[in-house]
Amino acid sequence: MAKEGYGTAGGKAAAAAAACNPNWASLQEKLKGRKPLVSLASLDNGTRATSALGKRKERPDTVPAAPLSTPSILAPTSEDFSLTEALAMDCEMVGVSFQGNKSALGRVSLVNTWGNVVYDEYVRPIEYVVDFRTKISGIRPRNLMKAKEFSTVQKKVAEAIKGRILVGHALHNDLKVLLLSHPRKDTRDTAEYQPFLREGRKRALRDLAAEILGAKIQQKEHCSIEDARAAMFIYQKHKKEWEKNIMKQFRFNKKHKNKHRKKSMPEQTPKAS
């Protein structure tokens, strides 16, 4: 039977090294009192931190985490994941049809007022995908392997945005690929808002994000979550004035409509006595 502490080949080698070099024994004594930086047990028992969006959003272990001392400008401002009064939406498209020049929904993301993701799904288009448009959409073939059916996603989005203010950039494109509509009075489009126009022309979301938020987006591949957050935070920054303009426009349209209605009504001639 082996003696205690030297029962293995590794133990015998350590004992031999200690006998030959007294510094080895001193080093071993110092290391005994040190604690590991990360508990291996915590990694094995399932307590490793995961993303709120599930495994699909997890980063590989080889990618270092962003330093906590420099929070992103587009980071959520609360831990509230509820469906708030206003939701921002952004979609990424893939190319279908023979030449791939027809757009189909590939991914849709919804964030709430605080920038938290309330819905985010890759979508399997009804038609065959010819062009994934990865350089812009960020979508790859593997993302659509277990993607949701279009009808399922369409229904979920329709339920989420119903009766709510919908924020986004060029929302007519997103609603078009979703085959949905939304009341104009409940739409806040950063591409259409008059104060954001430059010489009457619409501006790109990345330009508005840089100017208004100081955030750099769409540097390479687009991210629908990031774009939705940018649109929401731009809206929130101008919400007071924006809503005031909406009310003025609503009152003007109502007054003009009533005036037009009175003009179109035929005058009643008094009856002869």
Side-chain angles (χ1 to χ4, degrees):
M1 186 174 179
K3 293 181 180 180
E4 185 178 355
Y6 300 94
T8 64
K12 291 178 181 179
C20 295
N21 189 348
N23 291 333
W24 175 264
S26 176
L27 178 61
Q28 290 292 92
E29 287 296 320
K30 289 180 181 179
L31 291 175
K32 281 182 181 179
R34 296 185 65 177
K35 295 181 180 180
L37 295 176
V38 180
S39 170
L40 295 179
S42 69
L43 298 179
D44 293 335
N45 65 8
T47 58
R48 185 194 297 253
T50 56
S51 166
L53 299 181
K55 293 182 179 179
R56 173 158 57 82
K57 305 299 178 191
E58 288 181 357
R59 296 182 178 183
D61 293 338
T62 55
V63 179
L68 296 177
S69 58
T70 56
S72 170
I73 296 172
L74 296 178
T77 57
S78 168
E79 295 183 357
D80 184 351
F81 285 81
S82 64
L83 292 174
T84 48
E85 181 184 3
L87 296 177
M89 179 175 73
D90 189 77
C91 298
E92 298 298 342
M93 286 74 153
V94 293
V96 296
S97 77
F98 181 71
Q99 295 181 331
N101 55 1
K102 179 183 175 183
S103 295
L105 182 64
R107 183 185 182 186
V108 57
S109 303
L110 291 170
V111 303
N112 64 10
T113 299
W114 316 112
N116 286 312
V117 178
V118 294
Y119 190 73
D120 177 49
E121 286 293 347
Y122 286 106
V123 186
R124 188 182 301 119
I126 298 172
E127 299 179 61
Y128 181 77
V129 178
V130 176
D131 185 1
F132 286 88
R133 303 177 183 176
T134 305
K135 289 184 178 180
I136 296 176
S137 70
I139 299 174
R140 291 165 172 76
R142 66 173 180 268
N143 298 134
L144 302 189
M145 289 179 66
K146 295 184 179 181
K148 299 282 186 182
E149 295 289 342
F150 173 81
S151 58
T152 301
V153 173
Q154 182 195 45
K155 183 180 179 182
K156 288 283 187 181
V157 172
E159 291 173 351
I161 67 176
K162 185 177 181 181
R164 290 185 168 86
I165 292 174
L166 183 62
V167 181
H169 190 83
L171 280 168
H172 62 280
N173 292 327
D174 297 336
L175 291 169
K176 183 179 179 180
V177 293
L178 278 160
L179 302 181
L180 294 175
S181 61
H182 200 70
R184 187 173 180 81
K185 66 180 181 65
D186 293 334
T187 301
R188 306 292 183 269
D189 196 325
T190 55
E192 302 284 348
Y193 186 43
Q194 197 277 331
F196 294 163
L197 304 181
R198 178 171 289 171
E199 296 179 356
R201 295 182 180 180
K202 299 175 185 178
R203 300 170 63 191
L205 180 61
R206 64 176 173 272
D207 294 336
L208 293 174
E211 180 182 308
I212 298 172
L213 304 175
K216 292 182 179 180
I217 64 170
Q218 301 176 353
Q219 297 296 295
K220 293 181 180 179
E221 296 176 5
H222 293 198
C223 171
S224 51
I225 293 175
E226 185 178 67
D227 291 353
R229 280 177 179 158
M232 175 57 81
F233 291 165
I234 289 170
Y235 165 69
Q236 288 295 329
K237 204 157 189 176
H238 291 263
K239 180 179 178 180
K240 188 175 181 179
E241 192 63 30
W242 198 328
E243 292 303 321
K244 191 185 293 184
N245 289 340
I246 291 286
M247 287 304 298
K248 283 182 181 178
Q249 188 65 39
F250 176 75
R251 287 174 189 149
F252 174 80
N253 291 342
K254 188 176 181 180
K255 186 177 180 180
H256 182 73
K257 189 176 180 179
N258 291 339
K259 189 176 180 180
H260 181 72
R261 185 182 296 171
K262 287 179 180 178
K263 283 185 177 181
S264 61
M265 289 178 65
E267 295 183 7
Q268 294 182 352
T269 54
K271 293 181 179 180
S273 54

